[in-house]
Amino acid sequence: MNDTDFLKEAVRVGNLQKPPRNFGTVIAKDGKIIASDHNHVHENHDPSAHAEISAIKKACEILGSHNLEGCTMYGSHEPCLMCFSCAAWAKIDRVVYASPASESTNFSYEFEGVSLQELASHLAHRPIKVELIRI
């Protein structure tokens, strides 16, 4: 599988929820999907149950480690600051997303004017590559 395949799967998983809550995430390593999930915020009444957080938790459980070094996180949408920070704590190598937050018409993030690329440049211990790939 390639980046486009993983992003399409993230979109498919996200579409298990109806817009504007149709966020989906895939965690991949060595060309294989380790975990995937969609947004559970409203069904679980949990503001931290974003697709990215849920997929990261699943991947950590499956791999038996909080360290996801060597993994890429693919999202149907640009991750919020909380989800990006969780990816950094999990030591994910790359964050790839299909739709930027600035183009979301039915949903708005709590933070505006903050770029993930800039945030990534301030990581103290290791870089995370951040990429927008439109599918």
Side-chain angles (χ1 to χ4, degrees):
M1 294 181 76
N2 61 32
D3 287 340
T4 300
D5 296 326
F6 290 124
L7 284 170
K8 285 181 180 178
E9 179 62 10
V11 169
R12 186 196 70 74
V13 169
N15 284 333
L16 295 172
Q17 295 282 15
K18 293 180 180 170
R21 301 176 182 144
N22 59 327
F23 297 89
T25 300
V26 166
I27 307 292
K29 184 174 185 176
D30 299 327
K32 296 179 183 158
I33 294 174
I34 303 299
S36 64
D37 212 344
H38 59 80
N39 178 1
H40 295 280
V41 169
H42 293 84
E43 67 193 80
N44 292 350
H45 311 292
D46 179 354
S48 69
H50 292 197
E52 297 90 343
I53 302 294
S54 298
I56 288 169
K57 284 180 175 183
K58 281 184 176 183
C60 289
E61 186 174 318
I62 288 165
L63 294 176
S65 175
H66 66 281
N67 183 337
L68 297 181
E69 210 165 341
C71 291
T72 299
M73 183 171 80
Y74 294 91
S76 59
H77 296 76
E78 180 178 353
C80 72
L81 299 180
M82 174 184 69
C83 293
F84 180 79
S85 296
C86 186
W89 279 103
K91 297 186 178 8
I92 287 175
D93 292 340
R94 279 175 76 213
V95 172
V96 181
Y97 58 95
S99 177
S102 62
E103 293 178 6
S104 182
T105 57
N106 293 328
F107 187 84
S108 82
Y109 289 163
E110 292 299 318
F111 297 92
E112 292 181 352
V114 179
S115 98
L116 292 185
Q117 289 80 3
E118 181 182 342
L119 190 60
S121 74
H122 292 283
L123 291 171
H125 300 289
R126 53 189 296 284
I128 294 179
K129 290 176 82 177
V130 179
E131 300 173 53
L132 166 64
I133 299 177
R134 296 183 186 272
I135 54 171

